[in-house]
Amino acid sequence: MTRIFSGIKPTGHLTLGNYLGALRRWVEVDQHQADALFSVVDLHALTVEHDPARVRRLSRQAATLMLAAGLDPQLCTVFVQSHVDEHARLSYLLECTATDGELRRMIQYKEKSAQARAVGQSVRLSLLTYPVLMAADILAYGTDEVPVGDDQTQHVELTRDLAVRFNQRYGHVFTVPKATHPQVAARVMDLQDPTSKMGKSHESGAGIVYLLDDADVVRKKIMRAVTDSGREVEYDREGRPGVANLLEVLAACEGGNPIDRAGAYESYGALKRDTAEAVVELLRPVRERHAELAADQDHVDEVLRKGAERARGMARPTVDAAYRAIGLLPG
């Protein structure tokens, strides 16, 4: 079977964008068609200023939501990254394979380091090197495919480059993976700023639908979504990003094509109402299942323990082989 790896970083509460862009595909497609590993990549949350208690809380919440969305531990491997030492072990070897120049060219490093400096914060070295840790996450498992959003494609390309370089220098150890992209709503945009991705955190959160928002909050956020000048409802991602975002979300929730969906509406209000109800109904079972799982954390902990054990068994032979190949003595 094709092996895939993907992860969620616990830097904020999971959003509608996380669900439509990643989680739903993992549940409906990937866990059934591949040997799939899904991880809460908590080490990646340490690259910026953070509250340790919040990282732990969000890591547990993310894992619980992944299960609530429908990931089945009988079909796939669900685990927390830091519970599997092979990620950190391999990351250093790949740091010895990567170059300073290619890491400094990473778009996310440029953006996030500039943001940190703008508010007077120092830039952690781990922010520069975290794409190498991401490469280790992927390569440790002999991953064939990596389902990612558009903003992570550059990092998967780096992973491919590092795998090829290591194999050429030290002998064949790693599978060279490829990025795959969801067909619909791969990048849900902020409801208040439809030119920006719906991220996990924002000062107000007004443009972000969180998976655990109650129904009334979801409706209120969508009804207040920014639209565009004019009155006609038409799909134009460049010229009318607000309406296009709503149409894409509606199509992703209920099926169909956002262009075709546009023809059914004569007003922004009707589009917003239908989109709001579609999102509420889409997220209702996730919220209900999350409440059940959150009340039984022993079960969630056991799933994560077994998932880490399974992941460790998959990763260790590859990482041990990489240690031998690069010239380290066996322990």
Side-chain angles (χ1 to χ4, degrees):
M1 289 181 76
T2 297
R3 180 167 289 176
I4 69 168
F5 175 94
S6 199
I8 286 179
K9 185 163 57 174
T11 51
H13 300 288
L14 299 190
T15 72
L16 177 65
N18 296 128
Y19 184 78
L20 292 178
L23 266 174
R24 187 170 68 170
R25 170 182 162 142
W26 297 355
V27 169
E28 295 180 355
V29 178
D30 293 332
Q31 69 174 342
H32 299 284
Q33 296 184 0
D35 182 7
L37 298 102
F38 302 111
S39 181
V40 179
V41 286
D42 53 343
L43 295 175
H44 291 294
L46 311 184
T47 61
V48 294
E49 293 292 331
H50 64 276
D51 172 18
R54 185 170 187 265
V55 171
R56 283 191 290 270
R57 186 170 64 251
L58 290 175
S59 296
R60 182 178 293 280
Q61 184 186 91
T64 305
L65 277 168
M66 288 161 69
L67 298 174
L71 288 182
D72 183 348
Q74 300 302 314
L75 298 175
C76 64
T77 304
V78 180
F79 68 104
V80 176
Q81 177 194 31
S82 64
H83 294 175
V84 180
D85 293 345
E86 279 64 30
H87 292 254
R89 287 181 63 207
L90 181 55
S91 183
Y92 181 72
L93 298 195
L94 296 178
E95 284 184 16
C96 297
T97 309
T99 68
D100 175 78
E102 62 192 346
L103 292 180
R104 292 188 185 279
R105 286 195 294 272
M106 294 292 108
I107 294 171
Q108 286 204 6
Y109 171 72
K110 291 179 180 179
E111 293 177 348
K112 291 183 178 180
S113 60
Q115 291 168 3
R117 292 187 185 100
V119 295
Q121 294 179 351
S122 58
V123 179
R124 299 186 180 192
L125 178 61
S126 56
L127 185 63
L128 177 66
T129 60
Y130 104 85
V132 176
L133 176 58
M134 179 176 168
D137 299 338
I138 297 165
L139 297 180
Y141 298 101
T143 303
D144 300 296
E145 297 181 0
V146 189
V148 291
D150 295 338
D151 59 330
Q152 292 294 330
T153 300
Q154 188 184 33
H155 292 160
V156 179
E157 288 304 313
L158 174 68
T159 300
R160 290 170 54 83
D161 291 343
L162 295 180
V164 170
R165 189 178 306 154
F166 190 101
N167 289 345
Q168 289 175 342
R169 288 179 180 174
Y170 308 115
H172 186 83
V173 172
F174 299 122
T175 299
V176 181
K178 66 177 182 178
T180 58
H181 304 280
Q183 294 295 311
V184 180
R187 198 167 191 184
V188 179
M189 312 307 278
D190 190 289
L191 296 171
Q192 293 299 313
D193 179 10
T195 62
S196 299
K197 178 184 173 183
M198 184 182 284
K200 297 191 194 78
S201 59
H202 189 276
E203 287 184 7
S204 69
I208 304 169
V209 174
Y210 297 106
L211 297 188
L212 295 180
D213 281 344
D214 66 38
D216 287 342
V217 171
V218 172
R219 292 187 184 99
K220 185 178 297 184
K221 287 180 176 179
I222 293 176
M223 292 305 296
R224 292 177 177 175
V226 168
T227 48
D228 311 288
S229 59
R231 293 176 176 271
E232 292 185 9
V233 178
E234 58 183 17
Y235 182 77
D236 179 357
R237 168 50 72 188
E238 297 300 321
R240 312 187 82 174
V243 171
N245 190 36
L246 292 171
L247 288 167
E248 288 187 356
V249 169
L250 179 61
C253 289
E254 295 187 343
N257 185 295
I259 298 174
D260 297 334
R261 286 278 180 172
Y265 294 97
E266 296 183 355
S267 72
Y268 293 162
L271 171 61
K272 288 181 176 182
R273 282 191 294 273
D274 282 1
T275 303
E277 291 309 313
V279 172
V280 166
E281 290 308 310
L282 181 76
L283 299 185
R284 188 187 307 279
V286 178
R287 290 178 54 241
E288 291 174 351
R289 179 61 177 149
H290 176 271
E292 295 172 3
L293 289 168
D296 187 9
Q297 281 300 320
D298 287 345
H299 169 71
V300 175
D301 290 344
E302 180 66 5
V303 168
L304 296 177
R305 186 191 66 76
K306 289 182 177 179
E309 189 175 281
R310 190 186 310 162
R312 201 175 298 119
M314 294 181 193
R316 184 163 294 166
T318 298
V319 176
D320 285 349
Y323 267 59
R324 289 192 299 272
I326 206 169
L328 300 177
L329 285 172

